[in-house]
């Protein structure tokens, strides 16, 4: 695959038809080719670099929309690339690829400034889904903590509190609440939740969303507390913005 110099022979060739460019930093040529082929087929422009130093240079010089970076790279490792980007104010969303799958490794990747973490081996469909989810995120996702009314969420430690009362959530419930908190007051359809929280590429006939919303309500709304999640008849759900 070509490096930065070949990719930028003409500035007009840099952007993809859908306006989205992926900066891929991966030293395994086979994996890089598979990822690039799939993303290109979906209309993305892919800029590939095989070392951390070249990837960092490209991230600082170019206006890509999302970065996919391997954690272990020749030269600068992936986490050092991310940390340097963040120190220089680059807010580019980053998906970290790694063969290290322990929880501590994932936490380290997120603390370095990564936005998502995918362990190898992975299904190419999941990688694409995660990239698309990063591109749909609002601009405030660099914060590691969320606050909305009585609810506080720590994205690194994966903990949630309501008025100081800690709430134990399962991983899917945590992702569902995070999605709601990032979109307060917005009506969110079941299709949106299935696509963005469950990463479904099709919409099955299921009450999966309703079941999880019900479980989440029972956990975040204690006795005598004001309900926070509203049902919008025939449409979906909305997280209330407290007065």
């Amino acid at each position: 695959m070509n490096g930065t110099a070949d990719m930028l022979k003409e500035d007009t060739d840099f952007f993809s038809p859908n306006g989205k460019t992926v900066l891929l930093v991966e030293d395994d040529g086979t994996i890089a080719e598979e990822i690039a082929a799939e993303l290109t087929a979906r209309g993305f422009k892919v800029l590939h670099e095989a070392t951390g130093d070249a990837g960092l240079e490209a991230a600082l010089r170019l206006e890509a929309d999302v970065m996919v970076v391997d954690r272990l790279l020749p030269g600068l490792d992936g986490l050092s690339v991310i940390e340097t980007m963040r120190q220089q104010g680059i807010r580019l969303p980053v998906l970290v690829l790694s063969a290290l799958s322990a929880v501590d490794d994932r936490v380290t990747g997120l603390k370095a400034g990564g936005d998502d973490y995918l362990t190898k081996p992975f299904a190419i469909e999941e990688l694409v889904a995660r990239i698309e989810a990063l591109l749909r995120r609002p601009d405030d996702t660099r914060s590691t903590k969320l606050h909305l009314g009585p609810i506080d969420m720590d994205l690194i430690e994966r903990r949630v509190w309501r008025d100081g009362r800690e709430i134990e959530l399962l991983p899917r419930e945590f992702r569902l609440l995070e999605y709601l908190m990032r979109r307060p007051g917005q009506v969110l359809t079941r299709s949106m939740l299935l696509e963005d929280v469950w990463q479904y590429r099709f919409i099955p006939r299921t009450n999966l969303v309703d079941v999880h919303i019900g479980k989440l309500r029972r956990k975040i709304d204690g006795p005598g507390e004001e309900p926070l999640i509203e049902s919008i008849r025939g449409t979906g759900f909305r997280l209330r913005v407290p007065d």
Side-chain angles (χ1 to χ4, degrees):
M1 300 182 67
N2 294 331
T4 305
D6 291 336
M7 296 292 291
L8 293 180
K9 288 179 179 177
E10 294 186 22
D11 291 343
T12 56
D13 290 338
F14 183 69
F15 296 100
S16 63
N18 63 12
K20 302 300 181 183
T21 300
V22 178
L23 174 56
L24 172 62
V25 189
E26 168 63 67
D27 63 316
D28 187 312
T30 300
I31 293 176
E33 288 179 6
E34 181 183 2
I35 293 173
E38 183 67 25
L39 293 177
T40 300
R42 293 171 181 259
F44 290 94
K45 180 76 172 183
V46 179
L47 169 63
H48 173 238
E49 298 294 353
T51 69
D53 298 275
L56 176 59
E57 180 184 356
L60 297 177
R61 291 178 54 199
L62 308 174
E63 294 186 1
D65 296 288
V66 63
M67 172 189 274
V68 178
V69 60
D70 189 23
R71 180 166 178 170
L72 301 177
L73 292 166
L76 281 178
D77 64 90
L79 299 191
S80 296
V81 170
I82 299 170
E83 289 173 339
T84 303
M85 286 169 46
R86 300 311 184 213
Q87 290 169 1
Q88 299 199 27
I90 305 297
R91 295 170 58 87
L92 180 68
V94 178
L95 171 61
V96 181
L97 304 180
S98 178
L100 305 175
S101 59
V103 173
D104 287 347
D105 295 316
R106 180 181 184 277
V107 170
T108 300
L110 295 175
K111 284 185 174 180
D115 298 275
D116 200 358
Y117 195 96
L118 183 61
T119 58
K120 298 178 178 180
F122 52 82
I124 192 68
E125 293 83 3
E126 181 176 5
L127 175 106
V128 174
R130 287 175 181 266
I131 290 173
E132 291 174 343
L134 285 177
L135 290 170
R136 284 195 294 267
R137 283 188 182 183
D139 292 336
D140 63 351
T141 55
R142 287 301 326 140
S143 173
T144 61
K145 295 184 179 180
L146 299 179
H147 173 78
L148 182 69
I151 300 292
D152 290 283
M153 173 177 284
D154 188 316
L155 299 174
I156 298 297
E157 297 189 5
R158 317 299 281 182
R159 299 173 69 186
V160 176
W161 299 263
R162 176 166 180 167
D163 287 329
R165 169 178 63 89
E166 186 162 6
I167 303 168
E168 297 292 334
L169 297 180
L170 297 174
R172 187 73 67 180
E173 295 166 348
F174 187 94
R175 290 179 61 188
L176 179 58
L177 181 58
E178 178 188 354
Y179 189 83
L180 293 169
M181 289 184 69
R182 291 191 184 279
R183 297 158 180 82
Q186 297 183 33
V187 177
L188 305 173
T189 68
R190 291 171 177 83
S191 295
M192 291 171 63
L193 294 170
L194 285 170
E195 289 182 1
D196 294 343
V197 178
W198 276 265
Q199 305 299 320
Y200 283 178
R201 299 299 98 190
F202 65 97
I203 307 302
R205 298 176 64 86
T206 176
N207 66 345
L208 186 65
V209 173
D210 297 77
V211 169
H212 279 77
I213 287 287
K215 291 179 179 179
L216 184 58
R217 278 173 168 156
R218 288 191 289 273
K219 291 185 176 183
I220 66 173
D221 297 333
E225 292 179 334
E226 186 176 2
L228 294 180
I229 302 176
E230 295 179 306
S231 294
I232 309 300
R233 186 174 181 179
T235 304
F237 305 93
R238 176 172 57 199
L239 186 64
R240 293 182 55 256
V241 181
D243 296 332

